Each structure stands twice: as structure tokens, then as C-alpha cells.
Amino acid sequence: MLEKTTRMNYLYDFYQSLLTPKQRSYMSLYYLDDYSLGEIAEQYDVSRQAVYDNIKRTEAMLEEYEEKLLLFQKFQERSKLISKMKELVKEDHSSNCDLLDLIAELEKLD
Amino acid sequence: MLEKTTRMNYLYDFYQSLLTPKQRSYMSLYYLDDYSLGEIAEQYDVSRQAVYDNIKRTEAMLEEYEEKLLLFQKFQERSKLISKMKELVKEDHSSNCDLLDLIAELEKLD
């Protein structure tokens, strides 16, 4: 469950600009501010079921966007490469070739 | 006009997965294969105007996606940073600090 929350937080971060204002409100209350479905329902004066359906639909949309655009996946790959580059530079007993290899991999991600 | 074509090629590259199959076909014939509106109309047995309207709408959609997700803009910024990093590594009279600064900038882009 925690893993799903983390994933949803990331997907929301990458794709929130493609959601409607209402979808954004529900998702941000539920995933970022940890409101319960009941609390969101009360605040918006709608049924708990309506909030639940909206959030489920939005989650599916976010997964669909990720399937198509892979922004989260590429972000993770890029982060790994960047960490390795930092280590190489800080350790300083790297060859420039290693670093150039990493930079080339980074380039391929775009 | 050439600049617009280049931009559209890039935007199409980044966001084509969000288009319908028909939008993808028209855009790819028009922008990648350099077909005329008339030739596309003939091939799909529709009016030239219908092809024109579809392509104009798709162009507007691509610009809207770019406004929201900035994938092309970030790609350009990342490319610049990557080029600078390559130069630094190849010249080899760089300090590690310069390289770390560039890596940090790269990180901020995500």
C-alpha cells in the first residue's frame, strides 16, 4: 500500500497538468494530504462513492499516461545515471571514459 | 516555415502516443514524409479540407501538451547541459566542481 502511494504521488507529480481541477483536488487531498474518502466527500458535499470512483478513474488515467509517455520510468533511470556520475566525479579515480559512457546513456534516454 | 516543421517534428516525436491512429497517420505523412494535403486526402478518400482541419487540430493539441508537460523544452535544456558536460570531460582541464554543478542542474530538470 505504501508502495502504491509513493507511485501515485510520483505519477501525480508528472501528469497533474493533464488532469481536471476536480481530479487534481481529490488526488491531492487523498494522496498528498492523507485525507480519508469520507473527509473529502464531506468537504465537497458529494457521496463517498463518488469520490472513490473519481479517484479510481484518475489513478487509471495516470497509469495510462505513464504507459504512453514513461516519464516516471525515465526519471528513475536518469536518477540512477546521475547518482553514478556524481560518485565517479567525487571519487575522482575514474577514467573519463566511464563518465563519457554514462553521459552517452543519459543522452539516449531522451 | 522550416522552423515550424522542425518544431512539429519534435512535438510529434514526444507526444505521438497521446494521439489517435488517424491523427498519427496524417501527421506522419504530412510532416515526416512530406506529403501534400491533396495527396493525403486522395489516399484516405476524404476532402482536402478535412485533412487540413485534422492536422491543424492536432498541431494545436501538440502545442497544448507541450505547454502542460514541457517535454521538448526540457529535452533542449538537457541536451545543452549534456553537451557542456561532454566538452568538459573531453577537454580534461576541468575541475570536478564544474562537472558537479552541471550534474546538479541536470537533476533539477526532472
Side-chain angles (χ1 to χ4, degrees), chain A residues 59-71:
Chain A
E59 285 174 2
M61 274 180 69
L62 293 177
E63 289 291 357
E64 233 177 89
Y65 282 130
E66 175 61 11
E67 213 170 282
K68 289 176 174 168
L69 294 171
L70 301 174
L71 298 189

Side-chain angles (χ1 to χ4, degrees), chain B residues 21-32:
Chain B
K22 194 169 85 178
Q23 286 176 321
R24 271 204 291 274
S25 304
Y26 288 4
M27 287 297 282
S28 131
L29 288 171
Y30 190 67
Y31 278 110
L32 306 183

Side-chain angles (χ1 to χ4, degrees), chain A residues 78 85 92 96 106-107 110, chain B residues 78 85 92 96 106 110:
Chain A
R78 197 146 44 222
M85 287 167 59
D92 204 29
N96 282 345
L106 200 61
E107 239 177 342
D110 282 310
Chain B
R78 198 146 43 224
M85 286 167 58
D92 203 30
N96 282 345
L106 200 61
D110 282 310

Side-chain angles (χ1 to χ4, degrees), chain B:
Chain B
M1 185 54 199
L2 190 65
E3 205 178 307
K4 193 196 161 188
T5 302
T6 307
R7 181 176 173 82
M8 275 303 145
N9 269 310
Y10 271 110
L11 294 186
Y12 179 71
D13 206 39
F14 283 111
Y15 302 111
Q16 59 174 294
S17 61
L18 300 176
L19 301 178
T20 67
K22 194 169 85 178
Q23 286 176 321
R24 271 204 291 274
S25 304
Y26 288 4
M27 287 297 282
S28 131
L29 288 171
Y30 190 67
Y31 278 110
L32 306 183
D33 304 333
D34 203 30
Y35 276 46
S36 71
L37 295 173
E39 286 167 331
I40 302 173
E42 206 174 316
Q43 182 161 329
Y44 283 83
D45 201 19
V46 295
S47 70
R48 193 184 168 287
Q49 185 65 37
V51 176
Y52 176 83
D53 290 344
N54 188 295
I55 288 177
K56 285 294 136 193
R57 252 195 324 271
T58 308
E59 286 174 1
M61 275 180 69
L62 292 177
E63 289 290 357
E64 233 176 90
Y65 283 130
E66 174 62 10
E67 213 170 281
K68 288 176 176 169
L69 294 172
L70 302 173
L71 297 188
F72 180 40
Q73 188 187 309
K74 285 183 186 172
F75 162 78
Q76 287 174 303
E77 291 171 22
R78 198 146 43 224
S79 298
K80 265 187 225 158
L81 288 171
I82 288 175
S83 297
K84 279 191 211 163
M85 286 167 58
K86 272 190 190 161
E87 265 173 54
L88 272 186
V89 174
K90 280 180 183 156
E91 286 176 359
D92 203 30
H93 40 71
S94 64
S95 79
N96 282 345
C97 294
D98 295 337
L99 204 53
L100 280 176
D101 282 349
L102 286 174
I103 294 173
E105 275 187 70
L106 200 61
E107 237 177 345
K108 269 187 272 164
L109 274 181
D110 282 310

